[in-house]
């Protein structure tokens, strides 16, 4: 029998130095590495970057998520890493993406700003489900945007 699935959702603050171009290039590298490593670890998920923040969803077995998240958490390219949820999952929501991406030029990013605003810019108050709904709607509707533009 296969191991139970889990889903982890966290948010963090961008700590990549430099201008927009430098940040964009670094995120491209993060994504490329994430997509390769996640595929090897049988992890799926999505990453959103906007308003100086990251929101990421990771899906897989408990141990696979934990192992990868330990690396992510220590990464100096972000800070204030805050877990919103880490809970069992019946089926993968982002099964077709080793790491889908939604950047700051997208409609979802505008919606994320709205969510952040509603939380009084205290992202620890944002609900994990809001992040899932936002990324799900966006990635499924515009699959082609699941890459850095
Ligand atoms: P190496 O590539 O050998 O790097 C060693 C150390 O240097 C690590 O601590 C790494 O964090 C740090 N590092 C690497 N490149 C840079 C750089 N350009 N500037 C500063 N420090 C650097 N990885 C995944 O596998 N899956 C994911 O889903 C994933 N999502 C991420 C989301 C965010 C928001 C961020 C910031 C990173 C993410 N990463 C992800 C990258 C992860 O943090 C590791 O850098 C990556 O997995 C490589 O790990 P490694 O131990 O092989 O490190």
């Amino acid at each position: 029998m296969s191991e139970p699935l889990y889903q982890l959702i966290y948010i963090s603050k961008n700590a990549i130095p430099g201008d927009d171009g430098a940040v964009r290039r670094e995120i491209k590298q993060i994504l490329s590495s994430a997509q390769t490593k996640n595929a090897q670890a049988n992890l799926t998920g999505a990453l959103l970057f906007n308003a100086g923040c990251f929101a990421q969803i990771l899906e897989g077995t408990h141990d696979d998520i934990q192992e990868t998240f330990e690396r992510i958490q220590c990464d100096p390219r972000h800070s204030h890493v805050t877990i919103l949820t880490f809970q069992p999952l019946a089926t993968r929501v982002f099964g077709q993406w080793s790491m889908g991406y939604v950047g700051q030029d997208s409609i979802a990013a505008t919606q994320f700003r709205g969510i952040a605003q509603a939380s009084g810019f205290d992202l620890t108050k944002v609900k994990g489900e809001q992040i899932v709904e936002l990324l799900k709607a966006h990635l499924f509707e515009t699959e082609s945007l699941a890459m850095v533009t």
Side-chain angles (χ1 to χ4, degrees), residues 90-126:
T91 49
R92 290 178 194 260
V93 180
F94 299 93
Q96 63 204 86
W97 291 281
S98 56
M99 191 45 59
Y101 179 70
V102 174
Q104 52 191 342
D105 301 330
S106 67
I107 297 163
T110 311
Q111 290 166 347
F112 179 68
R113 265 199 299 277
I115 291 173
Q117 203 165 10
S119 77
F121 293 98
D122 177 359
L123 292 179
T124 59
K125 289 190 182 145
V126 172

Side-chain angles (χ1 to χ4, degrees), residues 2 5 74 79 108 121 125 138 149:
S2 56
L5 285 172
C74 299
S79 66
F121 293 98
K125 289 190 182 145
H138 187 77
T149 50

Side-chain angles (χ1 to χ4, degrees), residues 10 26 30 34 37-38 56 68 71-72 75-78:
Y10 76 84
E26 198 61 48
I30 290 172
K37 283 185 178 273
N38 292 356
Q56 189 173 27
T68 295
R71 282 202 316 273
I72 294 174
D75 197 310
R77 290 171 285 185
H78 62 170

Side-chain angles (χ1 to χ4, degrees), residues 29-69:
Q29 288 212 329
I30 290 172
L31 267 182
S32 163
S33 151
Q35 283 163 350
T36 305
K37 283 185 178 273
N38 292 356
Q40 288 162 357
N42 203 19
L43 291 178
T44 51
L47 176 70
L48 177 134
F49 174 70
N50 189 43
C53 295
F54 292 101
Q56 189 173 27
I57 300 168
L58 288 165
E59 301 172 337
T61 67
H62 190 283
D63 289 355
D64 287 338
I65 291 178
Q66 201 166 26
E67 194 183 305
T68 295
F69 184 63

Side-chain angles (χ1 to χ4, degrees), residues 8 35 52 116 123 132 147:
L8 182 146
Q35 283 163 350
L123 292 179
V132 172
M147 61 175 92

